Amino acid sequence: MSRPAALLREPAHQVSPRAVQMWRVIAVAELAATVVVLVVIAVLLPSRPWWLWVAYAVVLTPLAAIAIWMPGLRNRIHRWEVTPGAVYTRSGWVVTRQRIAPLSRVQTVDTRRGAIMRLFGLSAITVTTASAAGAITIEGLDQDVARRVVAELTEITAASEGDAT
Amino acid sequence: MSEWQRLDRRTMLVGPLKTLRQILVPALAALIGVGTQQPRWLLFAAPVVLVGAVGIGVLPWVTTRFRIAGDQLVVTRGLLNKTRLTAPLDRIRSVDLEAPLLHRALGIQKVEVGTGVDDTRIELDSLSTAQAEQLRNLLLTRAAVTPDPADDADVDTEPAPRSPDLARFRGSWVRFAPFSLGRLVIALGALGGLSQFVGDVGIDFSVDQEDVQRIESALLLVVVVLLVGGLVVWTLLSMAAYAVQWWGLRLFREEGNLRLTRGLFTTASTTIEEARVRGVQLRETALLRAVGGAELHTLVTGLDEGVYAVLPPCPTSETRRVGDDVLGDPAPLRTPLTKHGARARRRCHLRGVRLLLPAVVVALVPAVFFSVTPVLPVLVTLAVLLVGIALGEAEYRHLGHALTADHLVVGSGVTSRVRTVLERGGVIGWVVSQTWFQRRRGLATLVATTAAGAERITVRDVPLDRAITFADAVVPGMLEPFLVSSPPATAPAGT
């Protein structure tokens, strides 16, 4: 323990710029949908007391804030890196998590492409280990990057031996 | 054991006896009820019941067969729907023996084979005690060494050499039973059922107004009697349950396995491959700690449950001794823990108060809506602050981390004091998480992911640089490529 105090550096790569677009589109869509619902309610109500608007503000302000700031914030925080020895990611925006799993302990490598992700040409890679707490997801990857990373990961993990516990 | 084998013949008695025990009372009632009116009916009914019971008993015996073929355990069962289970011997993780009272009287035991890979456990109900023991030894030794097809079965039938016991049940341990509240919930449930029953009896509580005073003192008496009685009943019941579960406990090593046998009526034997034990957890709940007791669990990989109790609540010195023996190193359970510092302490206090905050809200409700004088909310707030800070302080005292030659040690718990010890090699990854508040204070929660136990070991609220240094020291090399030396001041890292 005589080593000097150390910190983790940032993972090397950022997510795809299209991921930021996707987060923004989703956040704006959520905001718009909520506005529509609230407007419909306001129209249908017989009377509109002052506190209704307060309640609306309480609901809408955080959603608007998320739509404005979240994509940029996430873009700065979300990062990933795959070395020959390990997977390292940083994610989250309210709670940030830096996750590291050595590739010798990796059990499965999954790719996921949801409907919206496909629209933006994105993929997510999930790497699981023998621990339920150890799964690592790299989100917002370009599809070709994802394909290359998966190939790399499967090649390295196939070479390691033992049951990874 | 390479030929097909059947279950023990005595198994045929178990099924019918069990069935009979279940239907005995209703059957008797029915038979007597029917019999008194129509004796001829009875004559037909009795053989049907008998034949049915015998059939239930004979069927599993006829249909179940097992053998060890090459390096696999094969079990076939079923009459119409035949199932055939095979388990490669090197996948067998555990072989548990269990004998409920009836089985014990008949001299037979249930064998449960766990493969760890999935949840299916192969159950053989039942073999003779000798046969079960022999199968257990065979399966576990074959699982441990490379299977050799030429190996003759009777080489393995010798009982395995036993180490001196790691632990043995002592009658005096029963004194700890009332202090572990795990069973209290069940007991209270039973009590609830009882009170309902009392309600059904229909005691009339309506009283004359004249002797209110006498009733008041009587009520006080009733409350005292109920409390004392409840305590006495709880003490007796918990002690009885403890004795039934743990009587005759022996923990010993056997060919690279930890083996635990216990039970007053139902005897159970659990075997854990020692190579799968990655660490231990010493738990001292508040009540147990007050009387110098603790519980010891092992953290195991590759079994359905990762946390196995190896000792009942018993003296702390005993749990330490056994823990040391299992870990093979006395340091982890004794080493002092590194504290997390003033910032962590403040967060503990805040958490304690936040936990109790709902009480303040509840107390505010009457003050706001019924304009009562705000004495109650003020009192409650004071109490919440005091209790919350006390809870936080307790949590902070239990918080800590340390590193020994082969293990990482983590302290946690609010009212309980929990010390978790994990082999360094059992760490299979790290998660450093920071909430917004933690980022502002330069703290982080470090999670060591592992395949053993609860699959995660959490070090809460450590200063970030110390968290990283600790993680790096636990598994040298894993974090190496991602490290930078920290700037002189503790910068709020992350964003």
Side-chain angles (χ1 to χ4, degrees):
Chain A
M1 297 271 264
S2 58
R3 320 168 52 98
L7 288 177
L8 288 170
R9 65 169 168 76
E10 295 191 318
H13 311 294
Q14 281 198 296
V15 295
S16 160
R18 283 199 300 266
V20 186
Q21 285 172 26
M22 181 179 79
W23 291 328
R24 177 155 285 133
V25 166
I26 290 174
V28 169
E30 278 171 0
L31 178 64
T34 317
V35 167
V36 167
V37 170
L38 292 186
V39 165
V40 168
I41 291 175
V43 167
L44 291 181
L45 280 180
S47 70
R48 288 177 280 279
W50 60 270
W51 51 261
L52 183 72
W53 306 115
V54 175
Y56 275 24
V58 168
V59 172
L60 289 177
T61 314
L63 282 177
I66 287 173
I68 293 166
W69 284 299
M70 180 271 277
L73 206 55
R74 269 178 100 172
N75 186 35
R76 256 177 290 149
I77 293 172
H78 277 244
R79 281 175 161 269
W80 62 277
E81 182 172 347
V82 176
T83 69
V87 189
Y88 174 32
T89 65
R90 187 171 71 187
S91 63
W93 50 289
V94 176
V95 180
T96 60
R97 294 202 168 83
Q98 288 166 298
R99 299 168 177 273
I100 293 168
L103 290 183
S104 58
R105 305 306 184 105
V106 166
Q107 291 192 322
T108 66
V109 180
D110 308 334
T111 325
R112 190 170 51 87
R113 294 176 59 201
I116 301 175
M117 289 159 76
R118 270 215 298 273
L119 274 181
F120 287 87
L122 296 171
S123 288
I125 299 175
T126 302
V127 170
T128 64
T129 65
S131 164
I136 296 185
T137 303
I138 312 176
E139 290 198 62
L141 291 179
D142 274 330
Q143 272 166 24
D144 346 338
V145 179
R147 221 167 288 137
R148 212 179 56 229
V149 170
V150 168
E152 201 178 312
L153 281 173
T154 43
E155 195 182 321
I156 300 169
T157 52
S160 60
E161 287 175 357
D163 67 348
T165 59
Chain B
M1 290 230 181
S2 50
E3 299 90 46
W4 285 106
Q5 302 206 8
R6 281 181 193 282
L7 302 176
D8 192 85
R9 281 200 191 81
R10 282 166 287 188
T11 304
M12 286 188 275
L13 287 173
V14 176
L17 284 176
K18 259 195 209 156
T19 321
L20 279 181
R21 199 172 53 193
Q22 275 166 11
I23 63 168
L24 192 64
V25 177
L28 271 182
L31 284 180
I32 291 167
V34 172
T36 46
Q37 287 147 22
Q38 289 175 303
R40 264 194 297 171
W41 216 93
L42 172 71
L43 287 179
F44 292 119
V48 170
V49 170
L50 267 180
V51 168
V54 170
I56 289 167
V58 173
L59 255 185
W61 184 80
V62 172
T63 56
T64 308
R65 288 157 172 240
F66 67 96
R67 71 167 175 162
I68 291 171
D71 54 358
Q72 287 196 318
L73 169 69
V74 186
V75 178
T76 64
R77 57 165 64 119
L79 186 64
L80 300 174
N81 289 324
K82 291 223 177 214
T83 53
R84 181 188 173 91
L85 299 164
T86 54
L89 291 187
D90 56 356
R91 288 286 164 79
I92 289 173
R93 303 281 191 248
S94 66
V95 181
D96 295 346
L97 306 180
E98 194 187 304
L101 210 48
L102 186 58
H103 287 66
R104 270 176 84 182
L106 293 169
I108 55 181
Q109 284 188 315
K110 273 188 223 172
V111 181
E112 267 197 348
V113 180
T115 53
V117 180
D118 41 37
D119 293 341
T120 51
R121 292 167 72 82
I122 302 171
E123 194 184 276
L124 291 169
D125 183 8
S126 297
L127 305 181
S128 71
T129 307
Q131 205 184 1
E133 197 67 30
Q134 182 190 338
L135 180 65
R136 197 192 77 89
N137 285 337
L138 187 63
L139 288 178
L140 288 178
T141 47
R142 284 281 185 93
V145 298
T146 329
D148 178 9
D151 193 8
D152 205 0
D154 52 17
V155 176
D156 297 304
T157 57
E158 305 290 324
R162 282 179 170 180
S163 74
D165 293 354
L166 294 184
R168 197 190 279 264
F169 185 81
R170 285 205 203 92
S172 61
W173 290 359
V174 171
R175 70 178 187 274
F176 291 107
F179 298 97
S180 59
L181 296 180
R183 288 201 194 86
L184 188 59
V185 183
I186 305 165
L188 284 181
L191 213 65
L194 203 69
S195 72
Q196 201 169 18
F197 171 73
V198 171
D200 286 346
V201 172
I203 302 167
D204 192 357
F205 282 114
S206 63
V207 285
D208 297 328
Q209 288 165 343
E210 33 203 69
D211 37 23
V212 169
Q213 217 168 11
R214 215 188 322 156
I215 282 170
E216 261 178 10
S217 53
L219 256 181
L220 191 70
L221 192 70
V222 166
V223 167
V224 169
V225 165
L226 270 182
L227 273 179
V228 173
L231 269 179
V232 169
V233 168
W234 163 244
T235 305
L236 291 178
L237 274 183
S238 61
M239 282 181 165
Y242 183 102
V244 166
Q245 193 181 353
W246 293 101
W247 195 270
L249 164 89
R250 291 184 60 211
L251 179 70
F252 52 94
R253 286 204 172 85
E254 191 184 79
E255 308 217 350
N257 295 307
L258 271 182
R259 189 169 175 200
L260 180 86
T261 59
R262 61 175 170 85
L264 183 60
F265 300 122
T266 297
T267 56
S269 147
T270 314
T271 311
I272 306 164
E273 207 182 323
E274 223 179 344
R276 307 203 151 264
V277 176
R278 291 280 187 276
V280 301
Q281 191 170 57
L282 186 72
R283 289 185 202 160
E284 298 164 274
T285 57
L287 275 179
L288 271 179
R289 200 162 68 235
V291 292
E295 291 170 26
L296 185 73
H297 301 256
T298 50
L299 310 180
V300 188
T301 68
L303 293 176
D304 343 332
E305 277 176 86
V307 184
Y308 270 89
V310 287
L311 283 179
C314 66
T316 315
S317 56
E318 187 74 10
T319 56
R320 287 245 165 80
R321 199 179 55 71
V322 174
D324 292 347
D325 205 327
V326 170
L327 293 172
D329 179 7
L333 289 178
R334 288 182 175 71
T335 184
L337 300 178
T338 312
K339 293 274 153 205
H340 294 182
R343 285 172 288 175
R345 188 181 199 166
R346 216 169 314 140
R347 269 182 62 82
C348 285
H349 291 166
L350 270 177
R351 233 193 329 264
V353 172
R354 205 172 51 204
L355 186 77
L356 299 173
L357 221 51
V360 175
V361 175
V362 170
L364 272 175
V365 167
V368 170
F369 288 95
F370 306 105
S371 59
V372 191
T373 46
V375 180
L376 183 69
V378 170
L379 284 179
V380 169
T381 308
L382 273 179
V384 161
L385 278 177
L386 279 177
V387 176
I389 288 177
L391 279 179
E393 189 61 29
E395 186 183 1
Y396 176 71
R397 291 228 175 123
H398 300 152
L399 212 58
H401 62 273
L403 195 60
T404 66
D406 299 316
H407 300 92
L408 74 141
V409 187
V410 175
S412 62
V414 181
T415 55
S416 316
R417 177 163 64 205
V418 182
R419 182 177 276 225
T420 311
V421 180
L422 184 75
E423 253 173 50
R424 289 180 182 202
V427 177
I428 60 174
W430 293 101
V431 181
V432 182
S433 78
Q434 290 185 293
T435 63
W436 187 74
F437 296 104
Q438 282 179 319
R439 283 203 295 278
R440 276 176 25 138
R441 300 202 162 163
L443 295 174
T445 294
L446 180 71
V447 178
T449 65
T450 171
E455 307 206 335
R456 74 181 67 204
I457 289 177
T458 309
V459 195
R460 211 170 194 179
D461 292 336
V462 211
L464 183 69
D465 50 346
R466 263 160 65 193
I468 307 300
T469 315
F470 179 66
D472 183 41
V474 170
V475 194
M478 197 192 280
L479 298 185
E480 198 72 55
F482 310 119
L483 289 179
V484 285
S485 58
S486 71
T490 20
T495 48

